[in-house]
Amino acid sequence: QVQLVESGGGLVQPGGSLRLSCAASGSISRMDRMGWYRQGPGKQRELVAWINGSGTITYWDSVKGRFTIAADFAKTTGYLQMNSLKPEDTAVYYCYADLLLAGTDDSHRYWGQGTQVTVSS
């Protein structure tokens, strides 16, 4: 059984900061990638950022320069530091991880439950 647990969402004023955390647990042999998606009200889900075990990082254009992703691949944890938040960042944020489980040959994607981020004055 694999679990991804997210934390850190909440209400913040425009210009403020939040840090989202994600922790994967279970019989995990290796984490290959960790990332974040978000889905705002009435919007399609969009990729926010991801990082892989080689250190490659990708950000959605709208968050570049404001958000920072990091992960500890040995501990299968990660976070998304969000600065200079804007009302349009309001969304449910979902963590995912591409994990190779013990005794298996292929990695698969697992998802967190989502955490609400609301940016409003």
Side-chain angles (χ1 to χ4, degrees), residues 2 4 24 28 30-34 96-102 104-111:
V2 173
L4 261 68
I28 301 168
R30 189 182 72 230
M31 184 171 79
D32 293 328
R33 180 182 295 196
M34 180 169 275
Y96 74 87
D98 295 341
L99 304 172
L100 177 69
L101 302 188
T104 65
D105 296 324
D106 296 314
S107 65
H108 294 278
R109 183 157 294 180
Y110 297 85
W111 292 88

Side-chain angles (χ1 to χ4, degrees), residues 60-94:
W60 191 250
D61 284 348
S62 64
V63 306
K64 282 181 181 177
R66 300 188 298 122
F67 290 12
T68 301
I69 189 172
D72 184 326
F73 286 84
K75 295 182 178 178
T76 63
T77 60
Y79 68 82
L80 182 70
Q81 177 67 42
M82 306 185 294
N83 298 330
S84 303
L85 283 161
K86 305 175 181 180
E88 51 264 42
D89 295 317
T90 295
V92 178
Y93 285 69
Y94 296 92

Side-chain angles (χ1 to χ4, degrees), residues 36-48 88-94 115-117:
W36 298 83
Y37 276 80
R38 69 185 182 186
Q39 186 163 19
K43 297 181 181 179
Q44 289 191 326
R45 188 177 67 169
E46 63 182 15
L47 176 68
V48 177
E88 51 264 42
D89 295 317
T90 295
V92 178
Y93 285 69
Y94 296 92
T115 186
Q116 177 71 47
V117 171

